[in-house]
Amino acid sequence: GCSRGNSVERKIYIPLNRTAPCVRLLNATHQIGCQSSLSGDTGVIHVVEKEEDLEWALSKGPHPPYMILLDGNLFSREVLLQLKGTSRVSGLAVAVANPSPSQGFSPGLKCPNDGFGVYSEQYGPQFAHCNSTVWNPLGSGISYEEFDFPIFLLEDANETEVIKQCYRDHNVPRGGSGPEFPLCALQLQSHMHAVSSTQTCMRRSSLQSTFSINPEIVCDPLLDYNVWSTLHPINSSGILDPGKEVIVVASRIDSHSFFWNVAPGAEGAVGGFVALLATAQALHAAPGARELPRNVLFAFFQGETFDYIGSSRMVFDMEQEKFPLRLENIHSFLELSQVALRNDSVLWMHTDPVSRRNESVESQVQELLAALRDASAGSGLALREVGFSQGLPPSSFQRFLRARSIPGVVLADHRAEFRNRYFQSIYDTPENIGMRYPEGLSPEEALEYVTDTAKALAAVATALARALYGLAGGAAGAAAIQADPSTITRMLYGFLIQSNNSWFQSIIKPDLKGILGGVPQHYVAVSSPVNTTYLVQFVLANLTGAWVNLTKEECLNPEKSPAADSQLYEYSWVQGPLDPGSRSRSPGCVRSGARLSKALSPAFELRQWGSREYSTWTESRWKDIRARIFLVASRELEMLTLGLGISILLLSLLATHAVSARAHVLFSAPRDPRDPAR
């Protein structure tokens, strides 16, 4: 026959599927972030759309504890400190503000990566701790504080409306008195396993791994991979000759926000690394690029948000000769920082005033500045010096300066404080850097639509590529170098709006097509490589590599093919574009110099979990992340139901005992009168 079932849980709970929690991170000295109790925290929902609405939850409401549904425009340090100091609030759900808060919002620090750059009491103390310039004045620092209650982001406006409707139906006070039961409640579960600091959690994990068959790891280091490539191919397993000079040009590829894995980083990261990818393409296509006297290393650092994980690891590997270059090979260093919010087409050239006191470094820095200024002529971009004594902004270059006095320039769209009002926040989105599309475009049309932002970044990439060409020894021909706005607009669309697009599909390996999802996020995380790292690697390979005539087997095993050189190149079998008029693809083999190198802090290699020299950030593990709403009865009704249940249980036991005691009477067989034996 047929049967049908229905879950009781589904009748009681409405799950919220599109949420992002605040999770716990730890470093050498303390812990930050949020967590719930072991089984989750529950409270009656109270919607706060203006600051006055908080008073009900903090003092007047008769049914604490409350779960606050907070309008995104009110999510601030001041509000969080009010909630942190009361037992009447059990958790917080934050609705995304749309449009973004006009006053700006940055949960990061006012002085990002303080203490892990080049400036200290021994080196440029006047610039240490942002003494001369507060780079992120809007930074509230809440991402780096600890909260002992769960905080979740509601990413779906429809789910937010469901909660509000439940609140309106059940929780709104009527007639001047409190609402009547049943009330709408919210449960948030995000219990974290790690506590105290990285030293504590790594020691516990290490002991578990040593003595337990099934170790329970409580935290993991933040790690991933840097992406790098060179203009001239170099032997990845060897060490470059000391006499060969290399210009390093770099950018970061990660970002961060208050909520786990919600890190769009449009201005904070994507604008810079997209411009650098376009620079690499333009320079590789320049006439005579392979014959230039100096090589160029393109480096994309991962984990820079968390005290320069990627750059400090590359410096460490260079010092330990675990990287093809040594620090002595570096001729100069150029870095693209935040470059997508220029004012009047001006880009500022930041240098280190301390190292420039050395005459040799000063002359080389002047050479860099002159090359950049000359290269910007006719590109629609003006490159200017800051014009006053100021330390470097937060940048990967600082980690190289800690190890060696290297001439370098950091290019940024800000002269002093950041122009980015949403640094390290959920609102550092495509809209923040001015990406606009006409109404009614299909996804394929949007992929190819050249935005003004793409044109502006093309000017940056053009100027940088021309400057690198001259610095690498090129003479004539620099004026012909031009970055492609069409390629840049496709990269911006893929890294900021929709990674699952036709171009990205064509350039990745078939077994990695699962990484193409919705809106990309650029958090470094603990599982590696993350999607951003893979995509940057394959985009770099596509823009600077070449299709080669190798079979799939030869491409996957280049060391077995006499036509391949696996020491100089990486080989990737990619899906290829769709064939016109069909749904099949034309796969092929791409040869390039795009490689990965580990971006794990040296502190974990050295087991120095309390290091003040290297990043020590870890992420706590957790068992379950969950959010759901349901109706809750009054305490009196719950106790009455419990009492009735216990009473019925006792009556059932008594009745069972009575029946069992008289079972011989109640269930004995009657005598048969015709039976003489009875």
Side-chain angles (χ1 to χ4, degrees), residues 503 505-508 538 541-550 555 570-578 585-592:
W503 185 47
Q505 290 168 8
S506 69
I507 65 175
I508 67 167
F538 286 112
N542 179 267
L543 298 181
T544 62
W547 288 76
V548 291
N549 188 24
L550 295 178
C555 191
E570 286 282 311
Y571 294 83
S572 303
W573 186 262
V574 301
Q575 292 193 120
L578 284 170
R585 294 187 176 274
S586 300
C589 187
V590 173
R591 183 190 70 187
S592 76

Side-chain angles (χ1 to χ4, degrees), residues 403-430:
R404 185 179 176 85
S405 187
I406 299 171
V409 177
V410 177
L411 300 177
D413 54 25
H414 53 90
R415 187 180 187 184
E417 65 186 48
F418 294 162
R419 291 179 55 79
N420 184 6
R421 295 180 300 121
Y422 305 107
F423 181 70
Q424 292 183 3
S425 89
I426 60 175
Y427 303 112
D428 191 6
T429 58

Side-chain angles (χ1 to χ4, degrees), residues 427-637:
Y427 303 112
D428 191 6
T429 58
E431 292 76 19
N432 185 35
I433 59 173
M435 288 179 62
R436 303 287 187 272
Y437 294 90
E439 294 284 343
L441 291 184
S442 67
E444 198 64 28
E445 290 170 336
L447 174 68
E448 301 295 338
Y449 180 80
V450 180
T451 62
D452 291 339
T453 305
K455 295 174 184 177
L457 290 178
V460 176
T462 297
L464 183 57
R466 291 175 180 176
L468 288 170
Y469 185 82
L471 291 168
I481 298 175
Q482 186 72 44
D484 181 18
S486 298
T487 301
I488 293 175
T489 207
R490 285 189 289 176
M491 287 192 282
L492 289 173
Y493 182 86
F495 285 113
L496 288 174
I497 296 177
Q498 178 57 261
S499 63
N500 192 15
N501 60 72
S502 59
W503 185 47
F504 277 11
Q505 290 168 8
S506 69
I507 65 175
I508 67 167
K509 296 178 180 179
D511 58 335
L512 291 177
K513 60 184 178 182
I515 69 173
L516 300 178
V519 179
Q521 304 298 335
H522 308 296
Y523 173 60
V524 58
V526 296
S527 56
S528 58
V530 297
N531 296 355
T532 300
T533 302
Y534 274 131
L535 292 175
V536 169
Q537 181 189 16
F538 286 112
V539 169
L540 182 61
N542 179 267
L543 298 181
T544 62
W547 288 76
V548 291
N549 188 24
L550 295 178
T551 65
K552 182 177 181 179
E553 183 178 355
E554 291 173 330
C555 191
L556 296 177
N557 302 282
E559 67 280 356
K560 298 180 181 179
S561 172
D565 191 339
S566 59
Q567 297 295 317
L568 295 180
Y569 298 102
E570 286 282 311
Y571 294 83
S572 303
W573 186 262
V574 301
Q575 292 193 120
L578 284 170
D579 293 328
S582 72
R583 302 188 66 178
S584 62
R585 294 187 176 274
S586 300
C589 187
V590 173
R591 183 190 70 187
S592 76
R595 301 177 184 273
L596 301 180
S597 65
K598 190 176 290 187
L600 170 66
S601 171
F604 298 100
E605 292 282 322
L606 302 171
R607 296 177 67 87
Q608 296 176 358
W609 303 321
S611 172
R612 301 300 178 90
E613 170 71 14
Y614 299 112
S615 171
T616 55
W617 285 106
T618 55
E619 180 184 273
S620 173
R621 288 195 179 186
W622 58 81
K623 183 178 181 181
D624 193 19
I625 298 291
R626 182 170 60 182
R628 57 187 183 179
I629 62 173
F630 57 96
L631 295 181
V632 61
S634 67
R635 179 66 62 181
E636 292 79 9
L637 180 58

Side-chain angles (χ1 to χ4, degrees), residues 126 306 449:
Q126 67 273 33
F306 295 96
Y449 180 80

Side-chain angles (χ1 to χ4, degrees), residues 11 73 85 144-145 201 232 235 243 248 258 261 344 384 433 486 499 534 660 678:
K11 289 179 175 290
N73 289 291
Y144 295 86
E145 291 198 19
C201 77
H232 308 155
N235 189 334
V248 178
F258 187 85
N261 204 31
D344 297 329
R384 297 178 185 171
I433 59 173
S486 298
S499 63
Y534 274 131
S660 178
R678 297 187 181 184

